[in-house]
Amino acid sequence: MSSDPALGQAPSDPHAPTGGRFPALGPDRPIVPPTFSTAASDGPAPTSGIPTSPAPAGPSRERQPVGQEYAGAGVGVPPAAAPTGPGPAGAGGYPDGPVNVPPGAAGATDPAPRRRRLPVVLAVVLLLVLAGVGVAVVRPGPVADWLGGEADDTRADVAAADPTPSAVLAGVDPNAPQPTPDGVRAALDPLVRAAALGDRVNVSVADVLTGQPLFGQGADDGTVPASVTKLVTAVTVLAARGPGYRIPTRAVAGANPGEVVIVGGGDITLAVDRNGFYPGAARLDDLADQVERALGGTKPTKVIIDGSLYSGPTLEPAWDEDIPTGGYGSKITALMTDGARQDVAQAKRDHDAGNHAAARSSEPDLAAGRSFARLLGLPNSAVSRGTAPPAGADATAGAPGSELGKVESPPLVRLVDIMITDSDNILAEALARQVALARNQPASFVGAAAAVDQVAGELGLAADELALADGSGLSRTNRISPSLLTDLITLAGNGDHPELAAIFGGLPVGGWSGTLGDRYGTAATDSGAGVVRAKTGTLTGVSAIAGLVTTKEGRLLTFAVLTDRVPADGTDAARAALDRITATLASCGCH
């Protein structure tokens, strides 16, 4: 992989930040709990409260040339409770490693018990801590029903076996003193000049309660964000589609008797059967049963794959050439199963061992179509690509174009949680295309980028500081400013758009989960353990982090630090430097 060329001018010096981009959240503007409208969704919505969801075992996140970023099952943000004691392989149980680790390589041991605790931990975390910062929170509604999770009896058994989490993470005090711009500048100035970060370090820090900027260095400059891009994808898809929206996969009658057309809707979590990779996923065997019932005595003879919902190239032109084969990416098609994983059982075992790479199908749509054909008793030779015939206004069952069956993904709030927690690149691209579809743009890389930009502008974000080529952050041509990220995080928590609060559920926690699980363990950074919650991003020459931190006095801040000129072979040192910056925010009163 080649290093980046120069990426623009040196950052300007913004040592006098003034007024926030969002109104203050004082007594007249409290943070409010999210409520979810079902107007734009076929799926149910929670009756009340902050959305919570177990983070299912998922794939690793962005494909990385130097070190993997494993976002394992993490708690919500900001947390107030978590299981005590460190987990395996450095609190998160997801060690960094080279991108070319073979799928069967050994990794961290037994992270499964942590995932079993998540439904309880995540609920307590979100309820207790968001209440602590002034969110009026009530107990969530029927999570198992609206999230499309496991069977009730299974979930009951898990809940009964889970211990009550201990309150070990710092709470938030809405009356805590706010750091001053001068205080934050004095604390961070020496750290952002660290040689390990290279000569282009762009930073934004703001107070979540008031929205006031506290520190900026190149804060409005577009910077390569790597996987931090997924925060923008998450916010825009939640705004465009709504958290309860479910992605459909349909089967319709073909032009000739016995022909079945499977119409891809962009649900990459679709499973073949109950043994799929993503818990709670829609299943092809359910769809096949519906088709057989709808056809009655007509025997299926052919399966046609309709992937016409998506257009344009299946790989983003600026992606590194090894992305389709490196275990963390694939062609992006409207129909696929299990995120294009070839061997789901092995991928699940590897994930549990801490290795999240997986061999991916070279033709995900054909692989899914052949699995569907087998469920209908047809050979692979009966599968071909094509398009569904138009349905007549009064089409009878079995008439060309008439619907024979439909299955739906888990709701977007759960898919967003998986995407952020696991930094799932393929899921991120699928969700970006949902933004495009919601805004009548082509469901392509270009169309998704245009739609994400449009929705960001609709939300009041500085869309001119956003230039994306994909939704995952794999492209080196992406640019996002640090201030847009801190504005976005503030917007997600200020109550104007309560549906956006879903982005907090999957953020890794410093020293405990995901990409941050084995960080914040040194004397210089341990003040960030348990109080930094953030999305990370890494490519060769790029290191980024954006999220929230609770200061030692209980003030909630948002930050984004992006550097895209990291010295060669300096990824580990750059991460340590980023940890020192965010840990300093945690320990510094900065008055």
Side-chain angles (χ1 to χ4, degrees):
M1 300 182 57
S2 60
S3 59
D4 273 349
L7 296 172
Q9 299 299 314
S12 58
D13 185 352
H15 283 162
T18 58
R21 300 187 184 197
F22 296 102
L25 306 180
D28 297 328
R29 192 177 175 80
I31 301 175
V32 296
T35 56
F36 298 95
S37 169
T38 58
S41 170
D42 294 331
T47 56
S48 61
I50 300 296
T52 61
S53 68
S60 175
R61 307 138 12 138
E62 68 193 271
R63 162 248 181 234
Q64 299 180 61
V66 177
Q68 295 170 350
E69 283 194 336
Y70 295 117
V75 298
V77 90
T84 57
Y94 297 93
D96 283 353
V99 70
N100 59 356
V101 172
T109 58
D110 192 25
R114 174 165 294 150
R115 286 200 303 275
R116 290 195 293 270
R117 287 197 299 266
L118 263 179
V120 174
V121 173
L122 186 55
V124 174
V125 162
L126 287 170
L127 294 175
L128 293 184
V129 182
L130 289 177
V133 296
V135 181
V137 182
V138 294
R139 186 174 180 85
V143 175
D145 292 339
W146 73 272
L147 285 179
E150 299 164 321
D152 289 342
D153 55 346
T154 302
R155 297 176 70 87
D157 290 344
V158 171
D162 288 336
T164 301
S166 302
V168 297
L169 300 183
V172 177
D173 180 2
N175 299 313
Q178 177 178 312
T180 66
D182 286 344
V184 176
R185 181 177 67 249
L188 296 192
D189 257 347
L191 301 178
V192 298
R193 296 192 184 113
L197 295 174
D199 61 2
R200 180 177 153 92
V201 186
N202 294 337
V203 186
S204 175
V205 179
D207 181 73
V208 172
L209 190 64
T210 65
Q212 179 186 0
L214 299 175
F215 179 83
Q217 174 173 291
D220 298 336
D221 293 350
T223 317
V224 182
S227 197
V228 170
T229 302
K230 294 182 176 74
L231 291 177
V232 179
T233 300
V235 160
T236 53
V237 75
L238 288 166
R241 281 296 202 199
Y245 182 80
R246 297 171 186 263
I247 303 171
T249 302
R250 300 168 53 241
V252 303
N256 301 304
E259 290 182 348
V260 178
V261 183
I262 181 168
V263 183
D267 177 15
I268 71 101
T269 70
L270 181 67
V272 176
D273 52 32
R274 65 182 301 169
N275 299 314
F277 189 85
Y278 299 93
R283 291 162 41 182
L284 285 181
D285 58 353
D286 289 339
L287 186 61
D289 288 344
Q290 294 178 41
V291 167
E292 290 178 340
R293 288 195 300 269
L295 290 177
T298 303
K299 181 177 176 56
T301 59
K302 187 175 182 181
V303 168
I304 299 171
I305 302 163
D306 185 346
S308 60
L309 184 68
Y310 286 4
S311 59
T314 56
L315 297 171
E316 206 284 312
W319 282 358
D320 293 327
E321 63 180 12
D322 58 342
I323 283 174
T325 59
Y328 299 95
S330 77
K331 291 182 177 179
I332 307 301
T333 56
L335 178 68
M336 68 170 69
T337 55
D338 300 301
R341 290 168 179 81
Q342 290 183 2
D343 187 337
V344 173
Q346 184 62 51
K348 290 162 76 172
R349 289 191 295 270
D350 291 341
H351 181 278
D352 288 346
N355 173 31
H356 302 264
R360 312 278 174 160
S361 173
S362 60
E363 301 292 344
D365 57 340
L366 282 177
R370 288 164 180 164
S371 294
F372 187 55
R374 287 193 292 273
L375 291 167
L376 293 174
L378 299 175
N380 289 347
S381 58
V383 179
S384 62
R385 294 186 177 102
T387 57
D394 56 351
T396 58
S402 63
E403 185 170 282
L404 303 176
K406 181 174 74 171
V407 293
E408 295 181 317
S409 73
L412 283 186
V413 64
R414 187 166 187 176
L415 300 184
V416 164
D417 193 50
I418 297 169
M419 177 187 66
I420 293 177
T421 297
D422 291 340
S423 202
D424 189 317
N425 294 312
I426 300 170
L427 181 52
E429 299 303 340
L431 295 183
R433 279 162 174 73
Q434 289 299 317
V435 183
L437 293 168
R439 289 297 180 268
N440 298 312
Q441 295 278 0
S444 63
F445 284 105
V446 172
V452 165
D453 188 87
Q454 177 183 344
V455 174
E458 293 168 3
L459 291 170
L461 298 169
D464 59 336
E465 297 174 12
L466 175 69
L468 298 182
D470 66 21
S472 62
L474 288 172
S475 176
R476 295 175 178 277
T477 64
N478 289 337
R479 298 293 185 273
I480 303 177
S481 73
S483 61
L484 184 141
L485 291 166
T486 53
D487 286 351
L488 176 151
I489 292 167
T490 300
L491 181 65
N494 72 7
D496 282 348
H497 298 274
E499 71 278 7
L500 306 184
I503 70 167
F504 298 131
L507 287 177
V509 178
W512 190 72
S513 66
T515 52
L516 300 182
D518 59 356
R519 292 165 66 164
Y520 300 96
T522 69
T525 62
D526 62 1
S527 59
V531 294
V532 171
R533 302 92 173 176
K535 182 74 190 78
T536 56
T538 308
L539 293 169
T540 298
V542 177
S543 196
I545 189 168
L548 301 114
V549 59
T550 307
T551 71
K552 67 178 182 179
E553 294 171 328
R555 194 78 182 190
L556 189 64
L557 308 180
T558 176
F559 61 83
V561 188
L562 283 66
T563 174
D564 53 18
R565 292 180 187 166
V566 174
D569 301 321
T571 296
D572 290 342
R575 287 175 175 169
L578 293 179
D579 292 351
R580 285 191 290 274
I581 292 171
T582 51
T584 296
L585 289 172
S587 62
C588 172
C590 295
H591 302 308

